[in-house]
Every structure is written in C-alpha cells, then in structure tokens.
Amino acid sequence: MLTVIATMKSEFPMDNLAFDSNTENDVSDNGSTKHNTGNACTDDCHVSHIDTPNSDGQPTEGTIPEGEISHRSISWLHFLKKLRPSHGMLLALVGALFFTGVDVTVELATEEVEPFLVLSLYTTVIILLSLGSIIAQRIVPPRTAKPIGFLIVCGGCFAAGATFITLAISKMPVGDAVSIMNSLPIFAGAFGWIFLKQPLRIIDIFFSILCIVGVTLIARPTFIFSRNDALMDLDAHEEFIGALYALGSAVSLALSFITGKVLQDLEVRLNYILLSNSSLTFVCNAIICSASGLWTAPSPPHYWAIAFAPGFLELFAQLTVFWAFKLERAVIVSIILTSEIIFTFALQILFIHITPHWYSAIGATCIIITCVGMATRKDEPSGSVREAAA
C-alpha cells in the first residue's frame, strides 16, 4: 500500500563519517615531539599509548605516533556510531512489519470473504480513526478548489490501487503480489518525468528493464513458461490474472503518489489524505458490493476480526512511516521499506504454508534491487528525488 510521501535529497553523505582535525606538531626543547590535538580528542576518545622517544628524539621503531592513534580512534568511533540504527530506521522497519501484516491478513480474509467486502470493512476503521484525529486536533480542511480536486484524484487512484492489490492477493500467493506491487517506483519515476518534469536517466531505464524481468519471472505467463497439464495451466491462468491486477495496483498507486506529492506541496495534512483515500476506497467497493449482492456477514465469525485487522495495521503503518520520514532521510526509509517483500514471503511460508517458486525468489530479488537503486540514485545538482514507501 502507498505510504506517506517525502521529498528529500537522495545523496548519501559519506563525508560525515570522516573526522576532521587540525593537528599540529611542535618540537620541545629536549627534542621530543609534542602533539597539539586541539579539539581532536573529546570525552568520547581515549589514547592509551604515548610514544617514548629514543636518544635521537624520534619515536621508537614499531610504535604509532600519538596523533595518528587519536585520529584513527575517533574516526572508528564515529563510524561505529553511524552503524547504530536510528529511531527513524527502527520506525521504518516497524512500518514494513505493519504493511506485511496488512498483506497477510488480507490474504487470510479473502479465503472466506469477498475481496470487495474486505475492503469495505477495513477501510471503515481508517475512516473513523482519521476523522477522529481531525476532530480532536481541530485541523482546518482545505478550502480552495485545487487541493480538494487533487484530494479526489489521489483518493480515486488509491482506491483503484487498493482494490487491484486485494484482488491480486486473492488470486496468487501474497508474496508474489506484494513483490509486483513494489515495482511502483518505476511507474512513479515515469509519471514524475511526464507530469512533474523530473529527469529521466539511462540508469532509470536499466532499472525499468530489470523490474520488468522481475515481474515476468513472478507472473510466469504461459506463452513464455509452458506447463505440463491442464490443471496447472488453469492455476497459471489465475495467477497471471492476479499478476495483472498487482501491476495495475502499482500503476494506480504510482499515480496516487504523484498527486500526493502535489498535495504535500500544497501543505495538505496527512490526516485529510488518509481520510480521502479510505473514504473513496470504501465508496467504490461498497457500490460494487451493493450491485453484486455481496453484503453478507463473514463466516466463520472470527473472520470479522481478520477482515477489520488490516484497517488498524494500515493506519499504524502509515503513522510509523510518516514519523520515520520525519526522523530519517527518505533514501534510508525507502530502502528499509523494501524489506516488506522479504517479511511477506517469510510469513507466507510460516502461516499460509506456501513456499515461493524459485522464479518468484529471483523476480523478487530483481524488484528489490530496482527499489534500492531507484532510492539511491543521484539527481542533478538542482534536482531532488521523490520517494514513496509500499
């Protein structure tokens, strides 16, 4: 599912891992070397060895000058601190787990409940909670036509994407569906080039081809991958239809991402974006349920809880990722969110007892590489990268 949208520079600054010190060496009266480290050594560093000069006033053979030890110690200390996960990184990981929970609970719910009914049920949870937060915080709604229009477009694209991915999960293994859905950065890049005049580079074309290869390996269309019997052909046909739904979800969510970027520039609050997305998703699926006579109580009764669970998990995922973008750079959060694919495959094996095909594993790896590459690519000096989390 489409998460909150952040606009940040994609460059990963490595220069902050180095330590800059202005160390000067003075020679004392007795010929020994005296080191003036200035601010090089703080309370975080400790030098346990001091060179002993020989009779010529030079450090003995085999020893390292004190200033070099100080420099190395502090550089490694700063490097190790950088390796420690930040609060933003941990929140992004929790958000990926919540999104995985959404995917798996939708898979479990659609075993007994119609996909359109599942969407109609769990979006009511998001509507009520987001509306409650708007009232509690007294957030002023948009009053001009432009943000309202983009809210409707964003919500409509999100409704289509949510419906397509739910249908995809009902027809194919959840891990495969989620992997294909996570190809949305490719479509977001293409739409950004078309609508937002963002640059499109050769590396983007390479990642697009790699993504297409990954989707093809997961979908495994029968005109490329032959099957041996009619039953396998029937299952392959259903999975191929599911793959098309997942691809449609990626396209729709990419459009929702682009319009969401415009809403962010218009300073529309996240609460109203959530309310618009969930409301339009509920309305669209409620109309389909009414027209098709799908308004039936989930059975057995515990499927009520399974059908409503994705709403809570989706909202928690949105909020945790929103705060992750607040605390950490977008490139890091985007990369961590790709772990949703890995978590989904793991839970698929543990709880649904479906082992992914090795073609799917290779395809998912291609898509993960694409997501990471699109997240870390560098723009022109005047450009920036708009990243979305799935």
Side-chain angles (χ1 to χ4, degrees):
M1 299 300 177
L2 187 69
T3 61
V4 290
I5 300 164
T7 305
M8 296 183 69
K9 284 286 186 181
S10 65
E11 291 87 347
F12 187 84
M14 297 301 293
D15 55 337
N16 59 359
L17 298 183
F19 180 79
D20 185 18
S21 62
N22 298 319
T23 305
E24 299 179 356
N25 294 334
D26 298 328
V27 180
S28 62
D29 295 336
N30 60 3
S32 62
T33 303
K34 180 175 65 177
H35 299 280
N36 177 20
T37 58
N39 295 327
C41 188
T42 62
D43 294 337
D44 292 332
C45 69
H46 175 70
V47 180
S48 59
H49 174 75
I50 299 177
D51 301 332
T52 303
N54 57 16
S55 58
D56 297 328
Q58 300 295 327
T60 57
E61 184 177 358
T63 61
I64 301 175
E66 179 187 353
E68 187 175 348
I69 295 177
S70 302
H71 181 83
R72 290 182 180 181
S73 300
I74 299 171
S75 296
W76 276 105
L77 183 63
H78 280 257
F79 177 74
L80 292 175
K81 284 183 177 180
K82 291 295 180 183
L83 293 180
R84 185 176 60 187
S86 66
H87 293 95
M89 295 169 65
L90 294 176
L91 283 172
L93 190 63
V94 172
L97 287 170
F98 278 135
F99 280 119
T100 302
V102 174
D103 304 327
V104 174
T105 51
V106 167
E107 165 78 10
L108 294 173
T110 52
E111 292 178 358
E112 298 292 337
V113 185
E114 286 290 334
F116 302 111
L117 183 57
V118 171
L119 276 166
S120 300
L121 291 176
Y122 88 71
T123 50
T124 57
V125 176
I126 305 176
I127 292 172
L128 294 174
L129 293 179
S130 57
L131 185 60
S133 66
I134 289 172
I135 296 174
Q137 299 177 51
R138 299 179 180 179
I139 302 175
V140 178
R143 299 182 183 276
T144 58
K146 187 174 182 179
I148 293 174
F150 276 106
L151 274 174
I152 295 173
V153 174
C154 182
C157 294
F158 183 88
T163 303
F164 283 145
I165 190 59
T166 304
L167 290 171
I169 289 174
S170 68
K171 290 185 175 294
M172 68 187 306
V174 60
D176 293 352
V178 171
S179 297
I180 295 175
M181 184 195 68
N182 273 276
S183 64
L184 71 91
I186 295 298
F187 300 103
F191 293 142
W193 175 62
I194 295 171
F195 298 113
L196 301 182
K197 308 302 180 184
Q198 294 177 349
L200 189 67
R201 299 176 180 77
I202 295 178
I203 190 66
D204 298 325
I205 298 174
F206 167 76
F207 284 129
S208 299
I209 296 173
L210 183 63
C211 183
I212 292 171
V213 171
V215 171
T216 304
L217 288 174
I218 294 174
R220 297 190 294 279
T222 53
F223 58 85
I224 299 178
F225 300 86
S226 59
R227 307 297 174 98
N228 295 326
D229 55 61
L231 182 60
M232 292 182 64
D233 283 342
L234 181 62
D235 292 339
H237 177 72
E238 285 292 308
E239 291 186 6
F240 181 67
I241 296 298
L244 292 180
Y245 279 135
L247 203 58
S249 173
V251 174
S252 301
L253 293 178
L255 284 170
S256 181
F257 156 68
I258 294 299
T259 52
K261 172 64 187 71
V262 177
L263 287 170
Q264 185 188 40
D265 293 340
L266 294 174
E267 298 182 351
V268 177
R269 296 286 294 273
L270 174 66
N271 309 64
Y272 281 105
I273 298 176
L274 287 174
L275 180 61
S276 173
N277 291 351
S278 55
S279 297
L280 287 173
T281 304
F282 171 79
V283 170
C284 293
N285 286 275
I287 291 173
I288 295 174
C289 288
S290 299
S292 306
L294 299 177
W295 288 110
T296 57
S299 180
H302 66 270
Y303 274 91
W304 280 100
I306 298 176
F308 279 114
F312 292 99
L313 294 171
E314 176 84 16
L315 187 64
F316 293 152
Q318 296 275 0
L319 294 176
T320 52
V321 173
F322 173 77
W323 284 108
F325 275 119
K326 287 280 189 179
L327 298 174
E328 186 57 77
R329 287 173 298 140
V331 58
I332 302 298
V333 176
S334 300
I335 292 172
I336 293 175
L337 286 176
T338 60
S339 62
E340 177 190 356
I341 299 175
I342 301 172
F343 293 146
T344 303
F345 274 121
L347 293 183
Q348 173 185 301
I349 296 171
L350 291 174
F351 296 106
I352 309 175
H353 308 294
I354 297 177
T355 302
H357 195 282
W358 65 275
Y359 278 150
S360 297
I362 296 175
T365 302
C366 291
I367 294 174
I368 290 174
I369 293 172
T370 298
C371 294
V372 173
M374 292 294 288
T376 57
R377 67 187 177 92
K378 291 185 178 182
D379 278 333
E380 299 293 340
S382 60
S384 61
V385 173
R386 276 78 172 172
E387 293 296 338

